[in-house]
Amino acid sequence: RGEGCGMVVLKALSQAQAAGDQILAVIRGSAVNQDGASSGLTVPNGQSQQKLMARALKQARVQPADITYLETHGTGTSLGDPIEVYAAAAVLGQERDPYQSLWIGTVKTNIGHLESAAGVSGLIKVVLSLQHQQLPPHLHLSEINPKIDWQPWLKIPQALTPWVAPPGKERLAG
């Protein structure tokens, strides 16, 4: 756990282009919901997460299989992480070629859990990853969670990994 802050400047794409701003990334869609009922404060609700991802993809007009990286909450808990991974796999695994990787990671392994700044720090990590076309390694991973049925296309970068878009596509993250 830690403290931190982050700041990003958001503008409509047309305004940023008209102003001649340097554009580092485009947010095509977003969604917000309440996690819903669960068995405890620290236990995520997988169905709520699935609905949220599906709504964000629909708003962005992006197919689930087009997402090649997912920045997760990923706190390393034996209960929460499987719920989150299964929710992501249920949505982002739809019509995914088994050879098209979905990389998942969390900024928490790189800088800790910055509490109220966790979301913006994850966004900043994704923007930097897009800019440098590389995924930073998921640090301190010594054992893959045995409670997760890892699909062959679901991967965690354990070294600095080139982020390559599928042929004819662009790099998209969630």
Side-chain angles (χ1 to χ4, degrees), residues 32-52 55 83:
V32 176
N33 74 350
Q34 197 274 343
D35 202 33
S38 70
S39 61
L41 180 63
T42 61
V43 180
N45 181 315
Q47 289 181 342
S48 290
Q49 291 183 351
Q50 288 179 39
K51 290 176 186 175
L52 179 75
R55 194 166 40 243
I83 293 170

Side-chain angles (χ1 to χ4, degrees), residues 24-172:
L24 301 179
V26 174
I27 298 174
R28 292 185 178 196
S30 66
V32 176
N33 74 350
Q34 197 274 343
D35 202 33
S38 70
S39 61
L41 180 63
T42 61
V43 180
N45 181 315
Q47 289 181 342
S48 290
Q49 291 183 351
Q50 288 179 39
K51 290 176 186 175
L52 179 75
M53 284 185 264
R55 194 166 40 243
L57 288 167
K58 183 177 180 179
Q59 185 190 60
R61 296 184 184 112
V62 171
Q63 295 302 308
D66 291 340
I67 302 294
T68 55
Y69 177 74
L70 180 64
E71 178 66 18
T72 67
H73 183 62
T75 55
T77 63
S78 61
L79 178 61
D81 284 0
I83 293 170
E84 184 176 24
V85 170
Y86 285 129
V91 175
L92 301 177
Q94 294 176 29
E95 300 180 26
R96 182 173 293 275
D97 182 311
Y99 299 102
Q100 181 190 348
S101 299
L102 171 62
W103 294 92
I104 63 171
T106 177
V107 73
K108 291 171 185 70
T109 69
N110 304 97
I111 62 174
H113 189 334
L114 299 186
E115 299 297 330
S116 61
V120 74
S121 61
L123 175 61
I124 291 168
K125 174 188 164 188
V126 171
V127 170
L128 289 169
S129 296
L130 284 164
Q131 186 178 10
H132 295 284
Q133 301 180 30
Q134 295 181 321
L135 299 171
H138 190 90
L139 303 178
H140 315 296
L141 179 63
S142 58
E143 181 182 340
I144 299 291
N145 190 322
K147 295 181 179 179
I148 298 173
D149 180 20
W150 291 96
Q151 300 301 312
W153 46 265
L154 194 56
K155 299 182 178 182
I156 299 172
Q158 296 183 45
L160 188 61
T161 302
W163 187 3
V164 180
K169 302 274 185 168
E170 53 192 331
R171 285 172 287 112
L172 296 176

